[in-house]
Amino acid sequence: MNLVCTTCSSAFSANEPRWRCHCGGVLDLGFTLKIDPGDLSRRPFNLWRYREAIPVDDDKNIISFREGGTPLFDCEIDDVRMAIKLDYLFPSGSFKDRGASVLVSKVKELGIKHVVEDSSGNAGAAIAAYCASAGIGCDIYVPDSTSPNKLVQIEMMGATLHKIPGSREDTARAVLAAAEKIYYASHSWNPFFLHGVKTVAYEIAEQMAWATPDVLVLPVGNGTLLLGAYLGFKELWGAGVIPNMPKLIAVQAENCAPCAAAFLQEKSKPVVVEKKPTLAEGIAVAEPIRGKQILAAVRETGGQFVTVSEAAIAFWLKRLYQQGLYVEPTAAVAFAGLAALKKSLSGSQKIVIALTGHGLKANKKI
Ligand SMILES: *Cc1c(COP(=O)(O)O)cnc(C)c1O
Ligand SMILES: [Zn+2]
């Protein structure tokens, strides 16, 4: 198994503690899935059920709280039938635990004792929780505007918290300096994180009896959820387990939509945008590291981008509360996007949409 540079194609052993190519490029993992769905039936329903698909060599390095196996819940909201993947039901309160479980297991396998990570809150909380369980030290960098509840969570997990003044991009720059010396357990750079998040696709496919959604609607910031889902469906499709790929519908907040703007302008890379404040703090990413991959994945599946206003996010957050779904504002983004697309979707299409972060982590915003 190799780490392969997406820019210059250099290859490195996956057992080298490397998170970036020497050319500065983003790394992917060369991985071919071998799986027989028939083998799975007796295993517990958590993400390690798909053990063959997870690039951690030795079981003894696995750091897991039996996370995943989240419900896929059929419902109808405002005349649209959909299945909602309740992917906020995780030990740390967001789907980031999928990536954190696999990445921190790999970090343990590499013998690394200390990591750094930056985040708008949820990825940091997830990495901090798994590092606490693994006995690995961690320093988490966050924008100082992050919801206080997420900061408390990160500190209670024993991580060292660095609150960086300014934007999410200022935080990313601060952690890059720290990552010169300490391994960067980054959810946006590190491909092992994506190989954890991809289990969301395995679960959805299995919950649909190895069919696929026609459309999958997801919020996008750094694109870890979108790229993880794409990777998972692609592996299953490549292995002949599922018959086709879902169309990926990527939803961004109008106030920070570098990929949506690039999609409209038919560009292959995110465009430079002036970011405005948004309720969707979890996806307020102006310079997504894997932006090119996000755009390519959406185009390849025949999907599209949608942007949503702050008023629409606030409206859909309330609608979700009225359904008893207590999620954080970022999670409402995908619903606002689906509502905007409603007219162009036929009633017979199977729509799957994900809820991504727990409401208990967010502070009152609307
Ligand atoms: C991380 C996150 C997302 C998705 O963001 P990506 O950066 O695209 O992975 C969506 N919702 C919540 C609550 C999140 O924490
Ligand atoms: Zn390279």
Side-chain angles (χ1 to χ4, degrees), residues 10-315:
S10 293
F12 309 92
S13 160
N15 290 321
E16 211 178 287
R18 171 180 284 284
W19 58 270
R20 172 168 71 174
C21 181
H22 45 55
C23 82
V26 178
L27 300 174
D28 278 343
L29 196 63
F31 177 83
T32 310
L33 177 68
K34 289 194 197 75
I35 200 166
D36 179 355
D39 292 342
L40 300 176
S41 63
R42 293 166 156 276
R43 301 182 192 172
F45 195 45
N46 65 67
L47 69 84
W48 290 92
R49 175 181 180 82
Y50 311 104
R51 182 68 185 91
E52 296 85 336
I54 299 179
V56 171
D57 298 334
D58 194 333
D59 282 358
K60 75 173 196 297
N61 296 318
I62 293 175
I63 308 294
S64 168
F65 304 120
R66 309 290 174 266
E67 57 290 297
T70 58
L72 185 67
F73 162 60
D74 286 316
C75 74
E76 191 175 312
I77 304 179
D78 294 356
D79 302 327
V80 181
R81 267 190 296 130
M82 64 186 89
I84 308 179
K85 183 69 170 160
L86 304 184
D87 238 36
Y88 62 109
L89 300 177
F90 276 90
S92 88
S94 83
F95 77 90
K96 299 289 196 314
D97 286 5
R98 294 187 185 277
S101 179
V102 173
L103 174 53
V104 175
S105 297
K106 189 66 197 178
V107 164
K108 184 170 180 219
E109 188 151 270
L110 292 168
I112 291 164
K113 298 286 187 285
H114 202 114
V115 300
V116 292
E117 156 74 322
D118 62 318
S119 148
S120 64
N122 287 335
I127 294 287
Y130 287 83
C131 281
S133 171
I136 292 170
C138 80
D139 280 58
I140 306 288
Y141 289 68
V142 295
D144 62 0
S145 58
T146 303
S147 282
N149 288 353
K150 294 179 185 172
L151 303 185
V152 171
Q153 185 183 10
I154 292 168
E155 283 194 301
M156 291 301 114
M157 289 293 135
T160 305
L161 187 64
H162 302 259
K163 284 193 261 180
I164 307 299
S167 68
R168 177 70 183 82
E169 287 63 47
D170 293 319
T171 300
R173 276 185 280 276
V175 79
L176 277 176
E180 296 289 332
K181 294 212 181 75
I182 307 173
Y183 186 75
Y184 189 14
S186 168
H187 60 296
S188 41
W189 284 92
N190 204 301
F192 287 99
F193 194 92
L194 293 182
H195 281 263
V197 175
K198 77 183 181 188
T199 55
V200 71
Y202 285 66
E203 289 180 15
I204 291 170
E206 189 175 9
Q207 285 167 316
M208 295 178 70
W210 304 110
T212 41
D214 295 310
V215 292
L216 180 63
V217 188
L218 302 172
V220 172
N222 269 311
T224 64
L225 180 58
L226 181 121
L227 291 173
Y230 170 79
L231 179 64
F233 282 117
K234 188 101 186 201
E235 283 177 358
L236 290 170
W237 187 54
V241 178
I242 56 170
N244 55 280
M245 291 289 288
K247 275 189 184 138
L248 298 176
I249 309 288
V251 191
Q252 298 204 290
E254 215 168 83
N255 282 359
C256 185
C259 293
F263 186 80
L264 266 183
Q265 297 169 27
E266 299 183 5
K267 300 260 164 62
S268 67
K269 291 198 293 218
V271 300
V272 177
V273 291
E274 204 200 318
K275 176 159 97 175
K276 300 194 198 98
T278 172
L279 288 167
E281 67 176 13
I283 55 167
V285 180
E287 298 166 18
I289 300 297
R290 293 182 182 269
K292 270 175 105 166
Q293 290 182 320
I294 297 169
L295 282 155
V298 170
R299 288 195 173 107
E300 186 191 309
T301 64
Q304 69 183 93
F305 280 83
V306 187
T307 59
V308 296
S309 68
E310 294 303 297
I313 298 170
F315 175 85

Side-chain angles (χ1 to χ4, degrees), residues 5 7-10 21 23 25:
C5 177
T7 304
C8 74
S9 304
S10 293
C21 181
C23 82

